[in-house]
């Protein structure tokens, strides 16, 4: 079966201040590289807006309404020192969550084998009632709940290899044994969470990496901590929070990964998916702020999803 690629022009309308690392050019770089003939077999689709019911999968209504009310008619408004919104941000955030939902629907129905969503704003820092770290809504959490509530998935594993710990995803599922959250990330680093002793109800697996760590340490963390835990969990769906800011070229952190490391991790997770959940994988873009390494790393990730 095919790999599905989901994106939308409205994601470019989430405008951030000049010089902000989470900028529209990130998706332009990804779109350009995925136009290469190697990716012609991708199925392509655009996402709907998530409904209020779907946003409520991860966030209380009051918070959702507060985010909507924060959207300015013009210019940029700050939710915190890092997180901004513009007039296009509400639709972009709604469709980013909608992309996760569409991907989960098509993968769970067997229409496609797996999916990659090039979306912004990203999601993994968004806690249940707090938007932060460039993130408005938690796209991975909403996708996980869609799989459970609409498709009968009993267990969903969310694997996060962004260089920053996904405090929001951990927060939302901290007490929920039906969802595993497993992350490898630089530590210490923003947002300050992700120590190895943060384990929830046994469903949270954190494998922190020291500043300066490279591919060998990253792969060891996967082999020792992440992959055995996911295999034991036996998920009905694997969701990847795919951040490519652990690349050696990225300006926001200090890991030294390269494209081959992301491809390797993707293939390892696909192997587990093949054994436990009929190959069902949904990948959602999180970070990655050097345009060249973001594009190349995304290409390696998507080629792995395609089985190339």
């Amino acid at each position: 079966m095919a790999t599905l690629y989901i994106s939308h022009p409205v994601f470019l309308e989430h405008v951030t201040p000049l010089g902000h690392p989470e900028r529209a050019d990130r998706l332009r770089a990804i779109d350009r590289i995925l136009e290469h003939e190697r990716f012609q077999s991708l199925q392509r689709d655009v996402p709907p807006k998530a409904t209020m019911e779907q946003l409520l999968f991860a966030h209380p209504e009051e918070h959702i309404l507060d985010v909507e009310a924060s959207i300015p008619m013009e210019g940029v408004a700050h939710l915190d020192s890092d997180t901004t919104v513009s007039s296009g941000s509400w639709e972009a955030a709604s469709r980013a969550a909608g992309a996760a939902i569409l991907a989960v629907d098509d993968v769970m129905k067997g229409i496609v084998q797996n999916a990659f969503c090039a979306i912004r704003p990203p999601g993994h820092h968004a806690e249940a009632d707090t938007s932060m770290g460039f993130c408005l809504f938690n796209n991975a959490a909403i996708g996980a709940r869609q799989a459970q509530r609409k498709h009968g998935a009993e267990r969903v594993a969310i694997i996060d290899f962004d260089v920053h710990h996904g405090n929001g995803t951990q927060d939302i599922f901290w007490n929920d044994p039906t969802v595993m959250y497993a992350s490898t990330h630089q530590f210490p680093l923003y947002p300050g969470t992700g120590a190895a002793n943060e384990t929830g109800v046994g469903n949270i697996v954190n494998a922190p990496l020291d500043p300066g760590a490279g591919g060998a340490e990253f792969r060891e963390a996967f082999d020792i901590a992440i992959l055995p835990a996911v295999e034991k969990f036996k998920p009905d769906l694997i969701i990847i929070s795919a951040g490519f800011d652990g690349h050696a070229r990225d300006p926001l952190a200090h890991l030294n990964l390269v494209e081959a490391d992301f491809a390797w991790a993707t293939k390892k997770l696909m192997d587990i998916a093949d054994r436990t959940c009929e190959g069902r994988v949904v990948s959602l873009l999180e970070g990655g702020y050097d345009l060249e390494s973001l594009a190349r790393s995304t290409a390696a990730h998507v080629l792995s999803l395609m089985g190339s």
Side-chain angles (χ1 to χ4, degrees):
M1 288 189 290
T3 294
L4 175 63
Y5 174 53
I6 300 173
S7 196
H8 196 288
V10 78
F11 296 139
L12 304 179
E13 302 304 315
H14 170 57
V15 177
T16 54
L18 184 66
H20 197 285
E22 205 297 282
R23 59 206 190 276
D25 283 345
R26 299 176 63 237
L27 290 201
R28 294 188 181 102
I30 289 172
D31 278 336
R32 280 195 298 269
I33 203 163
L34 294 187
E35 286 299 322
H36 189 278
E37 62 182 12
R38 292 177 297 173
F39 301 100
Q40 292 309 300
S41 66
L42 284 173
Q43 291 192 19
R44 297 170 186 256
D45 207 347
V46 294
K49 297 178 187 176
T51 64
M52 174 61 81
E53 176 192 9
Q54 291 163 336
L55 295 176
L56 287 167
F57 288 165
H59 304 284
E61 183 175 11
E62 181 180 5
H63 173 61
I64 297 166
L65 295 176
D66 283 347
V67 172
E68 185 175 24
S70 74
I71 304 299
M73 294 288 291
E74 59 183 27
V76 172
H78 285 260
L79 302 186
D80 63 22
S81 60
D82 299 315
T83 310
T84 63
V85 289
S86 67
S87 60
S89 297
W90 176 258
E91 184 175 352
S94 298
R95 290 191 188 272
I101 290 161
L102 175 60
V104 167
D105 286 346
D106 282 4
V107 168
M108 294 301 292
K109 291 176 183 176
I111 297 171
V112 294
Q113 183 66 65
N114 53 49
F116 174 71
C117 302
I119 53 180
R120 57 185 295 272
H124 73 151
H125 292 308
E127 298 180 345
D129 58 3
T130 306
S131 297
M132 59 182 287
F134 313 160
C135 304
L136 301 187
F137 300 127
N138 196 301
N139 307 311
I142 291 167
R145 289 296 190 223
Q146 177 75 1
Q148 291 181 318
R149 297 182 182 180
K150 302 300 181 181
H151 299 282
E154 295 182 5
R155 294 174 305 281
V156 178
I158 301 173
I159 316 305
D160 188 337
F161 53 66
D162 191 281
V163 79
H164 301 95
H165 181 247
N167 59 293
T169 313
Q170 177 171 288
D171 168 70
I172 290 167
F173 297 115
W174 182 259
N175 292 307
D176 186 348
T178 72
V179 178
M180 165 176 282
Y181 175 69
S183 175
T184 182
H185 48 272
Q186 182 180 322
F187 184 86
L189 189 66
Y190 180 91
T193 55
N197 62 0
E198 298 170 17
T199 58
V201 289
N203 62 319
I204 306 295
V205 179
N206 285 308
L209 299 172
D210 292 332
E217 294 88 350
F218 173 79
R219 296 184 190 211
E220 182 180 36
F222 256 76
D223 278 334
I224 293 175
I226 305 290
L227 298 174
V230 177
E231 184 104 40
K232 183 178 179 181
F233 188 66
K234 294 183 170 56
D236 299 308
L237 170 69
I238 291 176
I239 295 176
I240 301 175
S241 275
F244 301 107
D245 40 5
H247 195 281
R249 288 176 54 98
D250 200 273
L252 295 195
H254 306 93
L255 296 187
N256 291 299
L257 306 184
V258 296
E259 297 89 330
D261 296 313
F262 299 117
W264 175 88
T266 305
K267 290 174 182 176
K268 288 291 187 178
L269 293 170
M270 291 173 66
D271 288 344
I272 294 177
D274 286 341
R275 293 191 291 272
T276 65
C277 57
E278 301 177 13
R280 293 188 288 262
V281 174
V282 167
S283 177
L284 309 174
L285 180 66
E286 300 285 1
Y289 305 103
D290 174 79
L291 299 183
E292 181 179 342
S293 62
L294 170 63
R296 294 200 315 252
S297 299
T298 300
H301 176 63
V302 173
L303 284 170
S304 295
L305 291 173
M306 296 170 66
S308 298

